[in-house]
Amino acid sequence: MGSQIVAVGLRIRAFNPRFDAGYADRFSAIPVACISDAMNRLFAAGTSLRPVGKAIMCGPAVTVKVPPGDNLFAQKALTSAGPGCVLVIDAGHQLTNAIIGERLATIAVDRGIGGIIVNGAVRDTDALRALPIAIFAAGTTHRGPYKNGPGEINYPVAIEGMVIESGDLIVGDQDGFVCVAADDVAEVCIAAERKFEKEKQTLPIEGDKNWIDVKLAELGCVIPEKKL
């Protein structure tokens, strides 16, 4: 009997945790800006995806790829994802039909899902704002989704140039969200904690700004003498 052929674009992988769960607790105490700085500001995604209501989230990614306007595979992922996971749904940044609304978001809350990212549209925004779950989306619309497929679950997706794989760490706050590759979680955690600690110790005073004039001089900028 021959092996079953899995069609690209119509497949589901089991979720596989790829970093120690304790890192989620550590990252949840660090602002996203510090995490981004710890990765040398080179990795960013979803700048046009904004929080609908709550924004704080931290957990491993369950990735979902769906056709524009269709949420069949998003519903499947939602009903099978474990507590604390963040659903990352790539709907191609299409905003004509909503992928998530109040009903599915309420199910996510009941299941203990850690957050939802939709590279597409959502609806029922008043209700979503009132729910205790972070939801990021590219936009809103009143038009509902289709449920025909195809789709993929726990295969790589890309949102505005950032590749997100199943099991990567997603961290979000009001500044946005960032993905930390599972293989880099330990290294980035240490760097981000150091960055955050350094910022907390920096007093909000005028301080020494001589470096500004030095930098401007290096660029060839003429700086007028200070008047007494």
Side-chain angles (χ1 to χ4, degrees):
M1 184 175 180
S3 61
Q4 182 180 4
I5 297 176
V6 178
V8 172
L10 192 63
R11 54 190 179 177
I12 299 174
R13 275 179 179 161
F15 174 75
N16 180 30
R18 296 170 55 220
F19 60 86
D20 187 276
Y23 281 111
D25 292 333
R26 292 171 65 178
F27 271 97
S28 64
I30 309 172
V32 167
C34 288
I35 300 170
S36 179
D37 286 351
M39 295 191 289
N40 289 301
R41 307 183 180 103
L42 188 60
F43 299 92
T47 55
S48 63
L49 276 65
R50 303 304 307 156
V52 176
K54 303 289 189 300
I56 302 298
M57 64 182 177
C58 185
V62 171
T63 55
V64 188
K65 189 171 185 63
V66 299
D70 190 292
N71 77 351
L72 177 63
F73 274 69
Q75 294 209 41
K76 174 60 179 176
L78 179 61
T79 58
S80 58
C85 289
V86 175
L87 261 62
V88 181
I89 306 169
D90 180 14
H93 208 82
Q94 192 262 13
L95 306 180
T96 302
N97 298 79
I99 301 300
I100 294 290
E102 179 182 10
R103 187 177 69 85
L104 292 186
T106 301
I107 293 173
V109 171
D110 292 341
R111 291 188 57 83
I113 300 300
I116 302 173
I117 295 170
V118 182
N119 188 20
V122 298
R123 67 175 182 175
D124 308 324
T125 50
D126 285 342
L128 298 188
R129 292 189 187 99
L131 291 174
I133 185 173
I135 300 175
F136 283 73
T140 61
T141 179
H142 55 81
R143 296 179 64 179
Y146 300 101
K147 301 171 179 62
N148 301 318
E152 294 189 340
I153 298 175
N154 288 322
Y155 284 82
V157 299
I159 297 180
E160 295 187 357
M162 174 176 276
V163 175
I164 303 173
E165 297 192 44
S166 174
D168 286 348
L169 178 65
I170 303 294
V171 189
D173 61 21
Q174 287 292 343
D175 282 346
F177 68 89
V178 68
C179 171
V180 182
D183 291 341
D184 299 330
V185 163
E187 177 183 351
V188 173
C189 184
I190 294 172
E193 287 175 335
R194 289 175 178 170
K195 171 68 175 176
F196 186 33
E197 190 62 32
K198 182 179 179 181
E199 288 198 354
K200 288 191 294 183
Q201 294 176 359
T202 303
L203 297 177
I205 58 178
E206 180 64 20
D208 181 9
K209 298 298 183 182
N210 289 337
W211 69 268
I212 299 176
D213 288 350
V214 172
K215 182 66 177 181
L216 291 174
E218 290 176 353
L219 295 173
C221 179
V222 178
I223 304 173
E225 295 183 3
K226 295 181 180 179
K227 296 181 179 180
L228 298 177

